[in-house]
Amino acid sequence: MRNTKLSQRDRYTLDTVGQTTKFLRENKNILIQNSDKGGKTVAMEKSHYESKKILILTDMCTYKLIKKDPTTRLQYKCNKLVMQLFDLKIINAMEKNKLINKTSVPHKIYGLPKIHKKGTHLRPICSFMNSPTYALSKYMATILKILTKEYNIKDAAEFKCRINNQYIDSEETLVSFDVISLFPSVPVNLAIRTIKEKWTTIKECTSIPLNPFIDILIIRIKESRYFLYKDKMYEQQKGMPMGSPISPVIADIVTENLLDEVTKNLTIKPRLLPNMLMTYLAS
């Protein structure tokens, strides 16, 4: 092996990594997590992290204990719907094999520390990987994206980029909306009704008939809001779970539809910037 002379910066980096590894090896009670926002790394005591997660689950208006694990039943229902799509020749054999799931596991909950807010609470996230509805969720999200517009943006940096070189008159007001706990706040029945009302647009990019499409949607929205935590099953009683591939798309559809309804009834219409309403949605 060739002798490589390390720079002072590289030596410092390797030394820091070594010290950090040793510290974590000697302190098994420390948990390393990504932050909810900002791309930061957070170190928390495991007991502190678990206590904050338990605090989330004590919200009886949002979560409740359930007796049975619905994973096997849900896997059967999802696979049955996939086979219907295959029999109707809506999907081919390759797509069928991608959507069929034979080794499903229940969703598992974890939390991302909100270091940008006082108290460092956790944002609850459900891991949908290898769950009964994961593949179908991604498939449906791809179809439903046709309904999303340019009302929402990722972050302040993208907003700054998109309004660059735009002039705001002194008599105009730049409006910003921030939805608190967006996904859990989305009314499920409103989401389903909104999507039904927009079926004329949806059917342009799918061969799935309306009824099977809504059946898949209901399973995805209403029946997959459960998760496993310490050998106990919980169900989310309202809204959309964070972590599902379809939740962001449905949240966009509902909020954008509300914006359409509100602006439609305004006497003075908002001025549109190129490809976007002068609105910043942030979850």
Side-chain angles (χ1 to χ4, degrees):
M1 182 182 294
R2 291 187 305 172
N3 291 327
T4 303
K5 187 176 180 180
L6 298 176
S7 66
Q8 184 176 356
R9 178 178 179 180
D10 289 339
R11 287 197 301 270
Y12 176 79
T13 300
L14 289 174
D15 184 55
T16 302
V17 170
Q19 291 182 43
T20 303
T21 302
K22 181 181 178 182
F23 175 81
L24 293 175
R25 189 167 53 244
E26 295 173 350
N27 295 270
K28 302 293 186 182
N29 62 322
I30 300 296
L31 181 69
I32 303 299
Q33 285 278 87
N34 292 324
S35 63
D36 176 48
K37 292 182 180 179
K40 307 295 184 181
T41 300
V42 182
M44 296 180 69
E45 289 188 1
K46 290 182 180 179
S47 59
H48 189 50
Y49 171 80
E50 292 297 332
S51 65
K52 286 183 175 292
K53 196 153 60 170
I54 291 172
L55 183 62
I56 292 172
L57 300 178
T58 57
D59 180 2
M60 299 182 66
C61 293
T62 304
Y63 305 104
K64 71 174 182 178
L65 278 167
I66 55 177
K67 295 180 178 180
K68 294 183 179 180
D69 181 354
T71 302
T72 302
R73 174 183 57 82
L74 196 55
Q75 176 181 285
Y76 172 78
K77 292 181 72 171
C78 289
N79 287 346
K80 185 178 179 180
L81 285 168
V82 171
M83 290 306 301
Q84 288 180 7
L85 298 182
F86 179 70
D87 292 339
L88 292 170
K89 302 188 185 306
I90 294 172
I91 59 175
N92 56 36
M94 184 179 294
E95 291 171 320
K96 180 198 73 173
N97 292 334
K98 286 182 179 179
L99 296 175
I100 288 286
N101 197 332
K102 297 180 180 178
T103 56
S104 298
V105 296
H107 313 136
K108 293 180 176 62
I109 193 171
Y110 63 95
L112 297 180
K114 299 181 180 180
I115 61 173
H116 59 291
K117 293 187 178 180
K118 186 178 180 180
T120 318
H121 299 293
L122 300 180
R123 185 184 297 279
I125 311 289
C126 280
S127 173
F128 273 69
M129 291 296 294
N130 298 319
S131 70
T133 61
Y134 181 70
L136 267 178
S137 294
K138 293 182 69 177
Y139 179 77
M140 294 289 284
T142 302
I143 297 171
L144 289 173
K145 277 186 177 179
I146 193 175
L147 298 181
T148 60
K149 303 176 183 177
E150 298 292 331
Y151 285 3
N152 63 317
I153 57 179
K154 182 180 179 181
D155 51 31
E158 182 183 344
F159 180 67
K160 178 179 180 296
C161 179
R162 291 173 65 173
I163 65 170
N164 192 33
N165 299 323
Q166 294 292 331
Y167 178 77
I168 299 175
D169 191 89
S170 60
E171 296 181 355
E172 293 180 314
T173 301
L174 185 63
V175 181
S176 172
F177 296 111
D178 183 9
V179 182
I180 299 174
S181 298
L182 175 59
F183 290 1
S185 300
V186 173
V188 169
N189 291 332
L190 174 62
I192 295 171
R193 186 169 69 249
T194 301
I195 290 170
K196 278 184 177 180
E197 291 171 354
K198 297 181 180 296
W199 180 248
T200 302
T201 303
I202 297 172
K203 69 181 183 180
E204 293 179 1
C205 61
T206 181
S207 301
I208 305 176
L210 175 60
N211 290 336
F213 190 91
I214 297 301
D215 288 342
I216 297 174
L217 196 64
I218 290 174
I219 287 177
R220 268 302 308 111
I221 296 179
K222 289 189 173 183
E223 297 187 38
S224 64
R225 298 180 298 177
Y226 73 95
F227 55 85
L228 178 68
Y229 176 66
K230 290 192 173 181
D231 298 323
K232 292 183 179 180
M233 282 290 169
Y234 292 82
E235 182 181 57
Q236 183 175 321
Q237 300 186 75
K238 61 181 182 179
M240 305 291 302
M242 290 200 68
S244 169
I246 203 172
S247 292
V249 180
I250 291 178
D252 283 347
I253 291 170
V254 172
T255 52
E256 290 177 5
N257 187 65
L258 290 173
L259 281 171
D260 281 339
E261 292 300 315
V262 169
T263 55
K264 184 169 60 179
N265 297 318
L266 291 177
T267 304
I268 301 176
K269 302 297 181 182
R271 178 166 65 88
L272 294 177
L273 299 179
N275 300 319
M276 69 175 289
L277 185 65
M278 289 177 60
T279 307
Y280 172 23
L281 293 183
S283 59

